[in-house]
């Protein structure tokens, strides 16, 4: 998945912290992150988890995303995850979702919306 942005390094660092990913490739104006380090064998076998590629563009974001990521915490509550993401630089946003929803809409440091869904952590 490719994300247009002003600062690929900054957004890659943010999303690495959110998803526990690492940088797997970078070049001028582009940073790719993922949960794995590709090997020739995995690429040839097409056994590759998705990656995020942040590409520098001159224009800014102007409207609500048509595609967004959903984040489901696996080791804490949804409220704990929202607090963690706020600490990383995310903000809560209103995209018309209304009140009483089971998810929280947030935006990354460049304003790209994403949702924090219910926790997947085992209940006690």
């Amino acid at each position: 998945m490719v994300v247009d942005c002003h600062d690929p390094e900054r957004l890659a660092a943010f999303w690495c912290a959110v998803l526990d990913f690492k940088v797997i490739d970078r070049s001028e104006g582009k940073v790719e992150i993922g949960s794995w380090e590709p090997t020739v064998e995995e690429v040839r076998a097409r056994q590759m988890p998705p990656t995020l590629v942040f590409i520098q563009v001159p224009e800014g974001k102007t409207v609500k995303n048509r595609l967004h990521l959903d984040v489901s915490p696996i080791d804490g509550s949804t409220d704990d995850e929202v607090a963690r993401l706020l600490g990383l630089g995310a903000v809560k946003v209103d995209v018309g979702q209304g009140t009483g929803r089971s998810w929280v809409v947030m935006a990354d440091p460049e304003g790209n919306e994403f949702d924090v869904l219910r926790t997947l952590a085992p209940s006690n």
Side-chain angles (χ1 to χ4, degrees), residues 25-70:
D25 188 40
R26 65 169 32 101
S27 60
E28 178 86 24
K30 180 180 95 171
V31 180
E32 183 175 11
I33 66 172
S35 62
W36 59 293
E37 295 211 24
T39 65
V40 172
E41 294 79 19
E42 289 171 326
V43 171
R44 287 187 177 144
R46 297 180 184 191
Q47 298 175 344
M48 305 160 308
T51 63
L52 292 173
V53 181
F54 300 94
I55 296 180
Q56 187 174 34
V57 297
E59 67 275 0
K61 181 178 174 301
T62 57
V63 297
K64 178 181 164 231
N65 295 2
R66 300 269 322 248
L67 175 71
H68 66 264
L69 298 177
D70 286 341

Side-chain angles (χ1 to χ4, degrees), residues 99-118:
T99 59
R101 300 292 180 195
S102 61
W103 67 90
V104 178
V105 181
M106 301 188 83
D108 70 17
E110 287 202 14
N112 300 299
E113 296 91 3
F114 65 96
D115 294 335
V116 180
L117 303 182
R118 67 177 174 79

